[in-house]
Amino acid sequence: MKMQKNSELATPDTNAMIAQAAPLVVDLDGTLTPTDTLVESVLQLIKQAPLNLFLLPFWLLRGIAYFKAKVAGATTFSARSLPYREDLLRFLTEQKADGRRLVLATAAHQSIANAVAAHIGLFDLVIASDANCNLKGERKLAAIREQVGHAFVYAGDSKVDLPIWRSARAAILVDVGDSVSRAVRQSVPTEREFRTAKSLLKTWAKALRVHQWLKNLLIFVPLLTAFSFSSTAAVLTVLLAFLSFSFAASATYIVNDLSDLSSDRAHVRKRARPFASCAIKIVDGIGAAIALMSGAFLLSAFVSPSFSLVLLTYVVITTAYTWRLKEYVLLDVLTLAVLYTVRIVAGALAIGAPMSPWLLAFSVFIFFSLALVKRCSELVSLRSADIEAAKGRDYRTTDLVVLWPLGVAAAMSSVVIFCLFVSASVTRERYATPEVLWIVALGLIYWLTRLWIKTARGEMHDDPIVYALKNRGSCLTIAICVGAMVFGHFVEILPD
């Protein structure tokens, strides 16, 4: 049977139709919401204070029920921020309107279950875990029989629910695997089945932000400025460095998205991200982040020890940005500018090229401007949606009057630095015709000004580096600038 997104598949079984008169018992994690509330609570706990990570094993030693109670007591749970299965909610609303009794039965802690029930406003009874009992499998079944009776219909999503389904009058299946579906259908009639179509390859590519790997092309900049692109060994080394940084970047993107679940779900566009929308399970994301980071440092070992050290520095700064620095006005964009510059430093170390102070100064200013483009574009979107402040960040739309001129000034400062570089003695020693570099200066003025105009128009919907490398006009401008640099280095048109 072909699956459609958020489709509801009804089974015309007579027994299942009769079962609709029985109370409907609904699971929470993976069923009513596609996420796992315990995992989200643990992530929130670690984000509040990373040292809490060391407390978790000691809590777990006292049992899973105690563990859930301690985590729930140490965090502030928001039922409003959770994603819910809209198709299932519509079905439950219809059943409630028809007078059917609805029960929320979950292994989640009772404080979480009560908050969800209050937010949804459909359930007549809540059955949940406490500090002494973890309601899962047979224990949940016993609690349901005690408080609901033996005649009930159960809505669940996993293999652990099989004992409950087999004791129910009918089953409602929510995104279950084929083997579980067959096992349930052999035992009881199926009243309804909900399935969500998934494109795993596309979803994972989005989660890893493969398109953001374009930013790591900055690692190739020293290969260009040192004019080492004719060396096959240098090119292969930089390619290895590019992959290493890309794997590490994807790992940090995953960690960043997992730490930003609440704020992303409140964002107009970011709510569709794979982890915010629960298109990918959080535990799968954690596993992928560990694998990618391990692969990144393994690859870096084949480049050089100094490159591995820069990669570690990048990861540390990115982690600090994820957990704290992004919450502070201006400090976040300064950090982004440093992270962009670190990529260029990494490229230089990968091929053993000297790091030019001109290139470092130019990089800091231009990347500071581009980081402000990113922040201003978000504030423009918020202003268009009549939202005053960015959730999770210390920015307001009124800050645009300061950020705008600051970003443009930083852009023009980078152009001034480049112009001074054109006139420097070191440039005349390295370039056959340094006067050609004035074409690059004009190209920079055009390119940077164009980015800021696009931002003002609300057309900058991506990272500015990614946008620049995907936009045809920007690509053409960059190509002309690169061509002018290569031409000026090798061709002498104004002999002495």
Side-chain angles (χ1 to χ4, degrees), residues 82-126:
L82 282 183
Y84 295 96
R85 297 188 188 273
E86 296 299 328
D87 49 358
L88 179 59
L89 274 179
R90 286 194 298 269
F91 173 71
L92 295 178
T93 302
E94 293 169 0
Q95 296 300 302
K96 183 70 174 180
D98 291 339
R100 192 173 190 179
R101 189 184 184 205
L102 302 182
V103 179
L104 181 64
T106 174
H109 189 262
Q110 58 189 6
S111 62
I112 293 176
N114 289 333
V116 170
H119 174 65
I120 299 298
L122 294 175
F123 297 102
D124 303 288
L125 175 66
V126 175

Side-chain angles (χ1 to χ4, degrees), residues 411-471:
M412 292 304 102
S413 295
S414 69
V415 175
V416 170
I417 291 172
F418 185 83
C419 292
L420 292 173
F421 166 72
V422 174
S423 305
S425 58
V426 65
T427 308
R428 297 194 172 277
E429 294 173 0
R430 298 191 58 201
Y431 285 82
T433 310
E435 289 78 9
V436 175
L437 296 181
W438 290 110
I439 296 175
V440 180
L442 292 174
L444 284 171
I445 294 173
Y446 168 76
W447 181 66
L448 290 167
T449 306
R450 190 169 185 267
L451 285 179
W452 277 103
I453 290 174
K454 290 288 184 181
T455 304
R457 293 176 178 176
E459 298 175 6
M460 185 64 63
H461 301 307
D462 209 335
D463 185 284
I465 295 291
V466 176
Y467 176 87
L469 295 173
K470 290 167 65 176
N471 180 265

